[in-house]
Amino acid sequence: MTAGHHESTLSSRTRKPCLMRRLATLSTSAALLLTMAGCASSGAPTVEQTPSLNSTEGGAPAAAQAAPLSDQAMLATLWIQRSAEFHGLSLQAFNVAHDRLNLALARRSAEDKPLAVVVDVDDTVLDTTSYGGWALREGRTYDSQSWADWVDDAVSTASPGAVDFLNYAHDSGVDVYYITNRKAGGKQATIDNLAALGFPQANAEHVMPRTDSSDKTARRASVTAEHDIVILMGDNLGDFDQAFQQATSAARHAEVEKQAGEFGRRFIMLPNPTYGEWEGVVYDGNWGASDAEKRAMREAALNVWQPESGSVSQGK
């Protein structure tokens, strides 16, 4: 049931107490304004005269506007780094992958192509949030040079469950391919990082970085030429199929519905609220927008409760 349908079917008996509460709130607000006027006449500071972190300008609290835009990613970064919920979701993803691989192995016949598992690297099998943590501490956002320096340090940790699953695939005779949009210049550092953590098949043939395009279609096709890809794992829809890379959120959702049967079966997704193509859609593809423009576009995209009318306004 949609929110609009739910709202339209509320009975008048249900709406009446809500309306009375709003009227009571308005009455209380009116009384408060009278009290404030009295305080002003006696020389006491009014709410208007007292600085407040909750004061707004252009729709956002002043304190939020003063903070670097990158600070908005702090809670998401901490969720990945500190929450047991993320730990559990990562294990869940790789456990599902394990079960799906077992099904594929059981169904395979001798004349079939060799099986392959294809995984994204960043925030799928390797945790990149230490780079995000550094950027937050420094009040910075992503830039290609600092990212390249971080990749070269090979300090990523493994996502929970990733090493065990991919070693299970390797031990089962399955080829593992790491298709990443890290640049080719960071390929050896990525191989070294994966190998140090115990990932199998971390070598020049199986680690496939970006060359001319971030579109992974051609790299997946090169694996498909000689293998049956039974599982793809990623944190971004483009890790599965370029058809998901649509210009609007609605179009992306429509493609997800179109391919709904693949999720949890052939497509296995890791949660990542810190960045991704979904963010670019919020900016209408304008990644070069200023921080102020990005903040405004983020706010415009929010669905917002309207307490005065008891409704929800839909974001862009």
Side-chain angles (χ1 to χ4, degrees):
M1 180 182 290
T2 65
H5 179 72
H6 182 269
E7 185 177 344
S8 66
T9 55
L10 285 173
S11 68
S12 59
R13 189 171 64 178
T14 304
R15 287 181 177 274
K16 191 174 292 183
C18 296
L19 178 60
M20 292 177 68
R21 283 199 300 273
R22 287 192 193 96
L23 289 173
T25 301
L26 290 171
S27 298
T28 304
S29 299
L32 179 59
L33 288 171
L34 289 172
T35 303
M36 286 165 55
C39 289
S41 64
S42 64
T46 67
V47 172
E48 211 171 73
Q49 295 167 327
T50 306
S52 171
L53 291 176
N54 293 322
S55 62
T56 60
E57 182 180 341
Q65 289 191 343
L69 186 68
S70 59
D71 275 8
Q72 293 189 358
M74 186 176 293
L75 197 60
T77 300
L78 285 170
W79 182 74
I80 291 174
Q81 292 183 350
R82 294 287 175 259
S83 77
E85 287 80 1
F86 171 78
H87 190 157
L89 283 170
S90 186
L91 290 174
Q92 176 177 270
F94 288 103
N95 285 344
V96 169
H98 183 283
D99 292 347
R100 297 303 299 178
L101 181 58
N102 280 343
L103 283 173
L105 289 166
R107 293 169 179 167
R108 184 173 178 271
S109 61
E111 55 273 9
D112 289 341
K113 288 181 181 179
L115 301 185
V117 169
V118 170
V119 294
D120 172 51
V121 172
D122 293 324
D123 298 299
T124 297
V125 298
L126 292 184
D127 179 351
T128 74
T129 59
S130 63
Y131 174 80
W134 167 81
L136 284 164
R137 283 283 183 90
E138 297 295 318
R140 296 174 60 171
T141 54
Y142 168 88
D143 70 84
S144 58
Q145 185 56 59
S146 64
W147 171 257
D149 293 341
W150 179 85
V151 168
D152 285 345
D153 279 346
V155 292
S156 285
T157 55
S159 298
V163 174
D164 287 346
F165 167 65
L166 292 178
N167 275 294
Y168 176 75
H170 170 75
D171 292 343
S172 301
V174 176
D175 284 324
V176 176
Y177 287 89
Y178 305 88
I179 298 184
T180 174
N181 274 339
R182 291 185 177 191
K183 293 180 180 177
K187 180 172 180 173
Q188 189 57 51
T190 301
I191 291 171
D192 293 344
N193 201 162
L194 289 165
L197 293 169
F199 283 98
Q201 303 177 36
N203 55 49
E205 179 186 354
H206 288 256
V207 175
M208 306 172 72
R210 172 174 53 152
T211 52
D212 299 328
S213 172
S214 61
D215 183 346
K216 295 183 175 182
T217 303
R219 284 171 282 169
R220 285 191 294 262
S222 70
V223 176
T224 304
E226 297 184 2
H227 297 79
D228 179 13
I229 300 176
V230 291
I231 294 171
L232 296 110
M233 301 189 73
D235 64 314
N236 189 66
L237 289 170
D239 296 327
F240 309 126
D241 190 332
Q242 194 65 13
F244 292 114
Q245 304 298 76
Q246 302 288 337
T248 68
S249 181
R252 284 164 59 83
H253 280 284
E255 188 62 33
V256 168
E257 283 298 319
K258 184 178 176 181
Q259 301 197 46
E262 298 282 13
F263 290 92
R265 296 188 175 99
R266 189 165 178 260
F267 301 163
I268 299 177
M269 175 156 276
L270 278 292
N272 180 9
T274 60
Y275 67 89
E277 292 297 331
W278 61 269
E279 183 184 355
V281 173
V282 171
Y283 307 147
D284 292 325
N286 183 15
W287 286 99
S290 69
D291 282 2
E293 289 169 330
K294 286 179 179 177
R295 189 188 303 276
M297 288 186 279
R298 290 180 184 186
E299 289 179 13
L302 290 170
N303 295 343
V304 179
W305 171 52
Q306 303 295 333
E308 298 83 2
S309 61
S311 62
V312 174
S313 61
Q314 299 298 308
K316 175 178 172 292

